[in-house]
Amino acid sequence: MDSQYDRIADEYDSLFFALPYRPSIEAPSVLRLVGDVRGLSVLDLACGTGVYSRKLRQLGAARVVGVDISEGQIAQAQAIEEEHPLGITYLQGSAADLPLDEQFDLVVAVYLLHYADSLDQLRAMCQEIADHLKPGSRFVTYQLSPDLSRETDYYAHYGLLLNAKPEQETLADGEPLTFRVRVGDFTSDELTVYYYSTAALTQALEQAGLSDIRISQPEIIPEAVATYGAEHWQNYLTMPHCILIEATKA
C-alpha cells in the first residue's frame, strides 16, 4: 500500500463531518457493533487522523493505539493529541506488518481490508489482526461491500464518485477500483481500493484463526432522516458502499 491519504491529510477530519453519511450512518453503525469499550485496550487500524481513536477513548477505553500507513495522517493525529491530550498512542505502520508486540481486547478498522492490493496482503492483514487480539476478543471493521453499486454516480449524492466495471461484468478478488471524494468545490485526487468477495474475506479471516464471522448492514440514526429526509438516504441504505464485519478470535 502507498500513502495515498497523505494528499488529503489536512482535509481528512473536516471531510468526515462534511460527508453526512459518515456521522449519520457509518460512525453510529460501527460504534453500535463495537459496544461497550469501558476498560478495554483497543487497537484502531487504518486510524487516519484519529477520529475513531479519540471517540473510543472518550467512550472509556483504557488504552487506545492508532496505526496508519500514512505519515501525513499520523502527523495530524499526533498534533491533535498534543493539543487535546487523551493518552492515545499513534504509530505509523502497515496493517500487514504491525510495529507492535501486544494483544488487545478489541481491534477496530474502519476502511482497511479493501486497501490490500492482493490476496496475499489481505491474508497478511487478517493474520496480523488475529495475532494482536487476545483469545475470545473481537475484530470489527467497516469494509467495502462486495455488492456495492457500480452504476455511474450512484453514490455521487453522498460525495463519492466511484469508477468501476459495469454491473454486468464480474469483478475479481484484488481488482482495483478508483474513487474520488467530492464535497462542495473540493474534489480529491483519485484514490484506489481493491474489491474482495464475501468468500475471499471470510476465508482470509478464518485462515487467520478468526471465527463466528458475521456480516451486517449499516443503519441510519433517526436524526439524519429528520434532517435530510428519507428519500435522500434511500440509495445508500438500499445498496451501501460498505458493510460491517465482526469476527472473534477462537
Side-chain angles (χ1 to χ4, degrees):
M1 291 186 297
D2 63 14
S3 300
Q4 56 183 330
Y5 279 85
D6 285 343
R7 302 194 297 268
I8 59 170
D10 292 342
E11 295 91 0
Y12 192 83
D13 264 26
S14 58
L15 284 175
F16 180 92
F17 297 102
L19 294 167
Y21 78 87
R22 297 202 68 187
S24 299
I25 298 175
E26 173 198 306
S29 296
V30 170
L31 295 173
R32 187 183 302 114
L33 186 58
V34 163
D36 188 357
V37 297
R38 286 175 294 180
L40 300 185
S41 59
V42 182
L43 175 59
D44 180 16
L45 295 178
C47 70
T49 57
V51 172
Y52 283 98
S53 297
R54 293 190 292 275
K55 186 62 176 177
L56 292 165
R57 184 76 171 109
Q58 291 162 350
L59 289 172
R63 171 166 165 74
V64 177
V65 177
V67 178
D68 199 282
I69 197 169
S70 166
E71 181 179 0
Q73 299 267 25
I74 288 296
Q76 283 285 100
Q78 289 172 333
I80 295 169
E81 173 66 19
E82 289 173 10
E83 186 174 355
H84 304 287
L86 291 172
I88 300 169
T89 300
Y90 292 106
L91 301 169
Q92 182 189 3
S94 168
D97 185 19
L98 288 172
L100 291 164
D101 184 19
E102 182 179 354
Q103 289 187 320
F104 294 81
D105 298 310
L106 173 71
V107 174
V108 175
V110 178
Y111 305 127
L112 171 67
L113 299 181
H114 49 246
Y115 288 106
D117 59 14
S118 66
L119 282 168
D120 283 344
Q121 190 169 59
L122 176 65
R123 295 184 190 108
M125 284 184 180
C126 291
Q127 191 61 62
E128 287 291 291
I129 289 163
D131 289 347
H132 287 79
L133 273 173
K134 295 176 183 177
S137 297
R138 293 184 305 138
F139 168 56
V140 172
T141 189
Y142 200 62
Q143 163 66 25
L144 188 72
S145 172
D147 300 315
L148 85 168
S149 173
R150 285 179 268 152
E151 180 183 329
T152 303
D153 293 336
Y154 186 88
Y155 302 104
H157 197 43
Y158 312 105
L160 300 173
L161 306 174
L162 184 70
N163 180 24
K165 278 182 177 179
E167 299 278 4
Q168 63 269 25
E169 296 185 34
T170 302
L171 287 171
D173 287 319
E175 185 164 346
L177 312 175
T178 60
F179 72 98
R180 298 177 190 270
V181 176
R182 183 176 66 194
V183 178
D185 294 332
F186 171 82
T187 302
S188 73
D189 293 338
E190 198 166 68
L191 301 163
T192 302
V193 294
Y194 299 88
Y195 172 87
Y196 289 102
S197 63
T198 301
L201 292 165
T202 300
Q203 184 179 57
L205 291 166
E206 289 178 340
Q207 287 178 343
L210 299 172
S211 60
D212 195 20
I213 299 165
R214 302 179 185 183
I215 296 174
S216 56
Q217 300 294 308
E219 299 177 2
I220 192 168
I221 55 173
E223 295 86 344
V225 178
T227 300
Y228 295 93
E231 186 176 353
H232 174 87
W233 301 108
Q234 184 175 349
N235 275 5
Y236 191 90
L237 294 174
T238 300
M239 200 173 291
H241 84 301
C242 283
I243 54 173
L244 295 141
I245 302 177
E246 175 185 17
T248 302
K249 183 172 179 177

